[in-house]
């Protein structure tokens, strides 16, 4: 029988992505001894993300770009966007701390750049690093507050989430955080009074070095490219599990002050997704196989209560090319679904919740010609491939609107009525029927007409990334995990997508990473003080 190994520390951080690294650094900066564990190589969904950080209220990057922003403007936008996911005071604290948070990240080596993108897009190419990453430009929002670009992309080619994770992980190491990768938490330890006092784990850290190297390689493949091809991930995860059964050893870690769970969401857990959010199937899990709800389950085992478990972000972006903002997105009846200048997750959620996940993007000859010209100037390689697949493979075309509608399986009369109302509003100078701003509107009148199928469905060429937004409820001031009675679970904290946070009601690009840092710093500071006298 393998002997159990025990080590002791002040703070245990479970999960080592954006929230975990931030929490670990913050606790260490305040003098706490910290051990961080991760079931994989570290980085989680953060390291493979696009690398967008939502920040404003006058960040140093906005100032470099000549962008004027204020606490009041950012707060006005987010109040409309995120609703009541957190208390008003918490949202205001998030906004007011935004400029300082960017500077904190910079001090820890995270690179930013003030190159401002001149067009609206879902993700800028490698020339631009500051852009409108949400619905700031959409009619329903700009009527309340001026549109301001707040999407801060980390400086690096392509998807640049690694440019956040790597510096934070290195900073944590320099500060003395002890990191144990390939370590799975199986149980929270609790004393007789119910206080969380540590974690029980199964670790590969004591396996022979060649086995540890093999495990790390397999974990890297599972994470990416496994995110894009789930069958590959399944094969890698099965091999990882076999290595764990043979070489894993029990490790108990005692935490004198507390445990912070930052283990991601649960979209990779099919049973949970069908239980909590059954409408949101057919998506591509935007995360790793570690986003299986295990962190949430750990907290629940100690009495935690969950919220927003039915909130899922569905990414159905129609840009780039930016010309497609001027398209009309319609359902089977030919009716418009939403203001097309809204953020892609707003469109995706509207399609799933109210239109059976079905939608088509209508463009006329002039719009298609402009989109084709933009295909090589506004896109990164993966965006170019997805846009090309959308435009050239499986699209329905017709010399008239009715012909295109019949080819796509859409009601011809409904589509014709929608286009007529859209064009008449432009001609008469009246407001758009669904509120799209005038600068994005143009007549749809030149055949041939194209209807591109943007329905939410399994599709390798044009996938629909999804991530869960709900998790355990936490105290807005400390990040302490709460029970159904609203009482904190002693010694237990949470941050990131394991917990309810700023973006749990509505997501725009960069808001999850910003919430991870905000909540991670909050939890790290609180746990460093928790039980310090013990």
């Amino acid at each position: 029988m393998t002997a159990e190994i025990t080590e002791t520390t002040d703070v245990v951080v479970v999960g080592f992505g954006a929230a975990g690294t931030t929490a670990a650094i913050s606790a260490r900066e305040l003098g706490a001894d910290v051990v961080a564990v991760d079931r994989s190589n570290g980085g989680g969904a953060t390291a493979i993300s696009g690398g967008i950080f939502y920040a404003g209220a006058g960040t140093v990057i906005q100032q470099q770009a000549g962008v004027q922003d204020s606490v009041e403007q950012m707060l006005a936008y987010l109040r409309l966007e995120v609703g009541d996911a957190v208390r008003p005071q918490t949202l205001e604290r998030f906004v007011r701390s935004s400029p300082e948070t960017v500077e904190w990240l910079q001090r820890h080596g995270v690179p930013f750049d003030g190159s401002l993108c001149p067009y609206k897009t879902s993700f800028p190419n490698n020339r631009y690093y500051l852009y409108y990453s949400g619905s700031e430009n959409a009619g329903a929002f700009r009527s309340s507050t001026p549109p301001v670009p707040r999407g801060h992309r980390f400086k690096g080619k392509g998807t640049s989430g690694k440019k956040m994770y790597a510096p934070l992980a290195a900073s944590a190491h320099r500060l003395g955080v002890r990191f144990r990768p390939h370590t799975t938490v199986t149980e929270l330890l609790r004393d007789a009074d119910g206080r969380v006092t540590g974690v029980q784990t199964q670790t590969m850290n004591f396996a022979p070095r060649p086995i540890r190297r093999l495990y790390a390689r397999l974990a890297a493949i599972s994470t990416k490219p496994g995110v894009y091809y789930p069958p590959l991930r399944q094969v890698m995860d099965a091999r990882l599990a076999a290595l764990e059964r043979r070489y894993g050893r029990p490790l108990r870690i005692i935490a004198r002050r507390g445990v912070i769970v930052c283990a991601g969401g649960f979209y990779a857990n099919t049973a949970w997704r069908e239980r909590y959010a059954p409408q949101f199937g057919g998506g591509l899990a935007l995360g790793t196989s570690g986003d299986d709800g295990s962190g949430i389950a750990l907290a629940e085992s100690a009495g935690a209560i969950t919220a927003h478990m039915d909130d899922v972000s569905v990414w159905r972006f129609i840009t780039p090319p930016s010309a497609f903002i001027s398209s009309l997105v319609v359902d089977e009846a030919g009716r418009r679904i939403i203001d097309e200048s809204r953020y892609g997750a707003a469109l995706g959620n509207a399609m799933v919740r109210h239109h059976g996940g079905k939608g088509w993007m209508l463009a006329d000859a002039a719009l298609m010609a402009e989109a084709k010209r933009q295909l090589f100037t506004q896109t990164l390689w993966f965006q170019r491939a997805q846009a090309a697949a959308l435009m050239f493979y499986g699209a329905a075309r017709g010399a008239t609107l009715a012909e295109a509608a019949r080819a796509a399986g859409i009601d011809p009369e409904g589509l014709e009525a929608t286009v007529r109302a859209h064009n008449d509003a432009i001609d008469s100078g009246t407001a758009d029927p669904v509120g799209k701003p005038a600068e994005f509107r143009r007549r749809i009148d030149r055949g041939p007409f194209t209807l591109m199928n943007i329905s939410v469905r399994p599709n390798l060429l044009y996938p629909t990334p999804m991530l869960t937004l709900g998790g355990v409820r936490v105290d807005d001031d400390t990040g302490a995990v709460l029970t159904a009675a609203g009482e904190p679970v002693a010694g237990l904290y949470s941050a990131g997508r394991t917990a309810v946070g700023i973006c749990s009601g509505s997501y725009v690009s960069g808001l999850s990473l910003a919430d991870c840092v905000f909540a991670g710093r909050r939890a790290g500071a609180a746990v460093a003080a928790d039980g310090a006298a013990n």
Side-chain angles (χ1 to χ4, degrees), residues 344-480:
L347 169 59
N349 273 277
M351 288 170 59
V352 169
R353 292 187 182 276
H354 307 297
H355 300 272
K358 294 183 178 181
W360 289 261
M361 183 166 60
L362 172 66
D364 68 359
L367 197 56
M368 288 297 290
E370 183 174 353
K372 290 174 184 178
R373 289 193 296 271
Q374 296 171 345
L375 198 57
F376 289 93
T377 61
Q378 294 187 355
T379 58
L380 295 170
W381 70 267
F382 65 91
Q383 296 170 311
R384 193 172 307 135
Q386 291 177 3
L390 187 65
M391 295 165 67
F392 303 119
Y393 298 102
R397 296 179 177 83
T400 66
L401 285 170
E403 287 180 10
R406 283 191 287 269
I410 293 173
D411 177 46
E413 292 183 359
L415 183 64
E416 289 174 334
T418 291
V419 173
R420 187 163 53 249
H422 167 264
N423 289 342
D424 287 349
I426 293 175
D427 295 342
S428 63
T430 56
D432 181 71
V434 298
K436 181 153 65 177
E439 69 189 78
F440 299 125
R441 298 161 63 192
R442 65 181 72 183
R443 286 181 58 86
I444 302 291
D445 58 8
R446 285 183 52 191
F449 300 93
T450 303
L451 280 162
M452 292 158 276
N453 192 338
I454 61 171
S455 299
V456 176
R457 53 185 175 158
N459 188 329
L460 284 176
L461 292 177
Y462 191 58
T464 308
M466 298 187 188
L467 73 154
T468 56
L469 302 176
V472 298
R473 289 189 58 228
V474 295
D475 182 273
D476 276 18
D477 294 325
T478 65

Side-chain angles (χ1 to χ4, degrees), residues 12 30 35 53 67 72 116 123 158 186 194 196 209 221 223 242 249 254 258 282 290 343 399 414:
V12 174
L30 293 172
V35 171
F53 191 84
V67 171
E72 291 73 24
L116 182 62
F123 189 83
T186 58
V196 174
R209 181 173 294 181
I221 295 171
T223 300
R249 290 187 63 181
I254 305 300
Y343 179 68

